[in-house]
Amino acid sequence: MAPIDTSKKPIVWVLGGPGSGKGTQCEKIIAKYGFTHLSTGDLLRAEVKSGSDRAKELTAIMERGELVPNEIVLDLLKEAMLARADEAKGFLIDGYPREKSQGIAFEKNIAPVTVIIYFEASSETLTKRLLGRAASSGRADDNEETIKLRLKTFLDNNDLVLAQYPSKLKRINAEQTVDVIFGEVQAILDPLVA
Ligand code: AP5
């Protein structure tokens, strides 16, 4: 495997509960920094659309709000990163890791993470946002029942994921406006590209 030199191409993990604004902030980060954005949720939804053999199994798991098996997610992510490694200025890895073992596997098989941005918001805020988005998102998992399950999966795993990286973890209050949050994001990312 071609190693990714993280001193030249920072790897940023973007974490937070369902609806915490990971995708919203990633769009702004891409616009300013030109990083390559890889969302494991998007990669999995693309795999489902491709109608591959495992599409049905993946759909069922995502509709239950559970985590897709680690090796499937890591394979998709690694393939996508290596395909873009030459041209990428840096990587935004959105929605990964969601389990302690995913973080360990990433650093062992791909590269060390540079910094972790964690968007923190209450379950009430997350639920409200996702229900607000449900009417227009077309996502099979944006319904009340699945949102509850997604939140539970997140809460069951999140503390253990974050506890692994005390020195790389940057917490941001995601209850603020999109622009205020992005101001805090820039304070974290500007030094990486200076
Ligand atoms: P994924 O697609 O990653 O979904 P998620 O984590 O549930 O997050 P969302 O994409 O729903 O929300 P977001 O944080 O991006 O928020 P957004 O910006 O859209 O994963 C889906 C599924 O795939 C998982 O459940 C799992 O099954 C599987 N999967 C994914 N990764 C996996 C992995 N690593 N391992 C195993 N399985 C995996 O914002 C939400 C809404 O809020 C929008 O309407 C937005 O406009 C609004 N909003 C955003 N910011 C603000 C703000 N500051 N103020 C007010 N409103 C805001």
Side-chain angles (χ1 to χ4, degrees):
M1 184 198 71
I4 294 170
D5 180 354
T6 52
S7 64
K8 299 206 178 76
K9 298 174 193 281
I11 295 183
V12 182
W13 289 349
V14 180
L15 303 182
S20 58
K22 302 183 292 295
T24 303
Q25 292 297 324
C26 281
E27 277 181 23
K28 296 180 85 69
I29 297 171
I30 297 162
K32 172 162 179 184
Y33 300 94
F35 288 173
T36 297
H37 176 223
L38 295 169
S39 147
T40 47
D42 289 348
L43 290 172
L44 288 166
R45 281 184 288 277
E47 180 76 12
V48 163
K49 264 200 193 149
S50 76
S52 68
D53 288 348
R54 55 191 181 196
K56 265 195 185 150
E57 183 198 346
L58 293 181
T59 307
I61 294 170
M62 290 165 81
E63 284 181 3
R64 289 197 303 268
E66 292 171 4
L67 296 177
V68 167
N70 289 354
E71 58 280 7
I72 297 181
V73 186
L74 188 67
D75 276 359
L76 286 171
L77 197 50
K78 187 169 162 187
E79 207 174 284
M81 284 182 79
L82 292 180
R84 294 164 179 79
D86 285 344
E87 91 245 13
K89 293 184 188 162
F91 286 98
L92 276 181
I93 309 297
D94 167 357
Y96 185 104
R98 296 191 191 224
E99 246 182 6
K100 188 177 162 185
S101 59
Q102 288 193 350
I104 294 168
F106 183 103
E107 293 203 297
K108 186 167 165 225
N109 290 287
I110 303 179
V113 63
T114 311
V115 71
I116 301 163
I117 300 181
Y118 171 59
F119 294 118
E120 201 158 24
S122 69
S123 296
E124 291 70 33
T125 298
L126 299 180
T127 305
K128 208 168 115 197
R129 286 188 190 164
L130 291 176
L131 287 175
R133 188 182 71 180
S136 59
S137 71
R139 272 176 55 167
D141 59 353
D142 275 353
N143 61 76
E144 204 161 351
E145 193 51 36
T146 307
I147 290 168
K148 269 189 211 151
L149 298 167
R150 286 160 68 192
L151 268 173
K152 181 181 180 322
T153 301
F154 165 70
L155 294 170
D156 285 348
N157 292 292
N158 184 50
D159 287 348
L160 280 176
V161 173
L162 300 186
Q164 287 265 102
Y165 310 96
S167 62
K168 293 185 176 175
L169 180 64
K170 309 285 181 196
R171 292 173 182 265
I172 293 184
N173 172 7
E175 308 259 354
Q176 310 175 92
T177 66
V178 170
D179 288 339
V180 169
I181 294 170
F182 187 59
E184 295 189 16
V185 167
Q186 291 173 82
I188 295 166
L189 296 183
D190 280 353
L192 296 184
V193 296

